[in-house]
Amino acid sequence: MRIRLCLAALSLVGGVGLTTLSTPAASAAACSDIDVVAARGTFEPGTLGLIVGDPVFSALQKKLTGRNLSSYKVNYPADLSLTSAAQGNSDLVNHVNSQAAACPNQRFILVGYSQGANVVDNSIGISSAGAVVGSPIVATIPAALEPRVAAVLLFGNPIRAIGKSVTGTYQSRTIDFCAEGDPVCEAGGDDTLAHLGYTADADAAAAFAAGKV
């Protein structure tokens, strides 16, 4: 099955075993100008995510040189369990709520790759139920905080394979990359390796976000 092959490939990136992917307990970041909240893909290694989160954060630092950036790795299993995306959804919303309360001037950039895109979708009110490694919505960012979300950066978003996309409040602030042939985000896609190539879009994503901040 193409999806299983893709997820297996992710687990082997960099030769990192699954036991290295445990996440520390959630903790509040300092009151930076912008908090980059990143939800990694299934079994994806790296600090914020080797394929997407880390290169995107690095690109944002270069594009937003006059701003102080912090980062947060969404604390969730990022595995194939039925509640994985829901746990990420809850943690992302809890983090944004706590940061927004502690730091009244802080804004947010949300980053999601693969299953992490499901996490972000749910958190902004777009259900990923029915998508691969998706879940029903369990929490959403409150309407009062919506203006503080500067940009939403999505990669290999599974809801696209079931004909959905980000609409409504966040649509104009969202960029959603789906590589040609990526079976996770393209119905009928047949290029498993396309799902692993989103590092190449980090600079374009950062440029988009810089234009929204």
Side-chain angles (χ1 to χ4, degrees):
M1 182 179 176
R2 295 188 185 109
I3 300 299
R4 289 187 181 279
L5 286 172
C6 191
L7 296 174
L10 278 171
S11 71
L12 295 175
V13 171
V16 179
L18 302 187
T19 55
T20 66
L21 299 181
S22 60
T23 318
S27 59
C31 289
S32 61
D33 295 323
I34 301 167
D35 191 30
V36 180
V37 183
R40 69 197 190 282
T42 306
F43 302 142
E44 185 187 11
T47 303
L48 299 176
L50 181 68
I51 295 170
V52 168
D54 293 339
V56 167
F57 185 69
S58 178
L60 285 168
Q61 288 177 308
K62 294 173 184 176
K63 296 287 184 185
L64 299 171
T65 53
R67 307 296 181 95
N68 178 27
L69 272 62
S70 59
S71 65
Y72 178 74
K73 178 180 182 178
V74 175
N75 186 8
Y76 84 115
D79 60 19
L80 301 180
S81 62
L82 294 178
T83 62
S84 177
Q87 290 179 64
N89 174 194
S90 178
D91 185 72
L92 189 155
V93 172
N94 285 340
H95 174 75
V96 169
N97 283 337
S98 63
Q99 280 297 120
C103 307
N105 297 318
Q106 190 173 58
R107 300 183 73 194
F108 302 91
I109 294 174
L110 308 183
V111 182
Y113 167 48
S114 193
Q115 184 176 174
N118 286 338
V119 169
V120 174
D121 290 332
N122 283 8
S123 300
I124 60 174
I126 309 295
S127 176
S128 66
V132 63
V133 289
S135 80
I137 294 170
V138 297
T140 55
I141 294 171
L145 299 183
E146 287 174 0
R148 293 173 63 177
V149 178
V152 178
L153 313 178
L154 303 173
F155 305 78
N157 189 355
I159 69 170
R160 292 185 56 170
I162 58 172
K164 296 180 68 175
S165 62
V166 174
T167 57
T169 302
Y170 292 96
Q171 185 173 8
S172 65
R173 287 173 271 167
T174 298
I175 189 166
D176 192 341
F177 296 91
C178 181
E180 183 177 358
D182 180 350
V184 175
C185 59
E186 180 184 296
D190 60 2
D191 184 0
T192 300
L193 292 180
H195 193 61
L196 306 180
Y198 290 104
T199 301
D201 297 308
D203 192 67
F208 174 84
K212 300 295 182 181
V213 172

